[in-house]
Amino acid sequence: MVNVTSPNQQFTSHFCTVYLDDIIIFSDCWEDHMKHLKTVLTRIRDANLTLSPQKCHFAVVEVDYLGHHVGLVHVQPHAKKVDARYRVPHLLSANNYNRY
């Protein structure tokens, strides 16, 4: 993914975020989104990288990305991640910590 973003990193902060092999493209309107999508897909092709169609989601309003639920006006931690945090027992002593 470094090849996709390195030479032209200015677009990554404006309409695209890349983390390892996860890419999210966001836009204010449909026309901009099509331009942004074309830019990113061109960069991927030029870097001789491939995408897995089964893992791609196009033109969605909400998406789960890196443990968060991202929508038009909100970014929230994924419910499963928050639930897991509350299921961890309190570790009040070293003995409890060692048993956990």
Side-chain angles (χ1 to χ4, degrees):
M1 281 301 141
V2 173
N3 290 340
V4 175
T5 58
S6 294
N8 201 1
Q9 281 190 331
Q10 72 268 10
F11 73 76
T12 60
S13 61
H14 296 292
F15 61 84
C16 174
T17 300
V18 178
Y19 180 77
L20 299 177
D21 64 346
D22 290 322
I23 302 171
I24 188 167
I25 303 167
F26 43 89
S27 310
D28 291 328
C29 67
W30 182 253
E31 292 78 20
D32 287 345
H33 194 65
M34 291 294 101
K35 291 176 192 173
H36 299 159
L37 186 61
K38 183 177 181 179
T39 300
V40 172
L41 291 176
T42 300
R43 298 291 305 207
I44 290 169
R45 184 192 61 215
D46 291 347
N48 292 321
L49 298 173
T50 58
L51 299 175
S52 174
Q54 299 86 355
K55 295 182 179 182
C56 295
H57 303 279
F58 294 98
V60 295
V61 178
E62 296 183 349
V63 65
D64 290 329
Y65 182 71
L66 300 177
H68 289 79
H69 188 76
V70 181
L72 287 174
V73 293
H74 67 274
V75 176
Q76 298 173 324
H78 199 277
K80 285 190 231 176
K81 304 291 183 185
V82 173
D83 291 343
R85 165 61 183 96
Y86 288 110
R87 282 181 287 183
V88 173
H90 291 303
L91 306 173
L92 300 176
S93 70
N95 279 343
N96 288 345
Y97 180 77
N98 290 334
R99 273 188 265 148
Y100 184 69

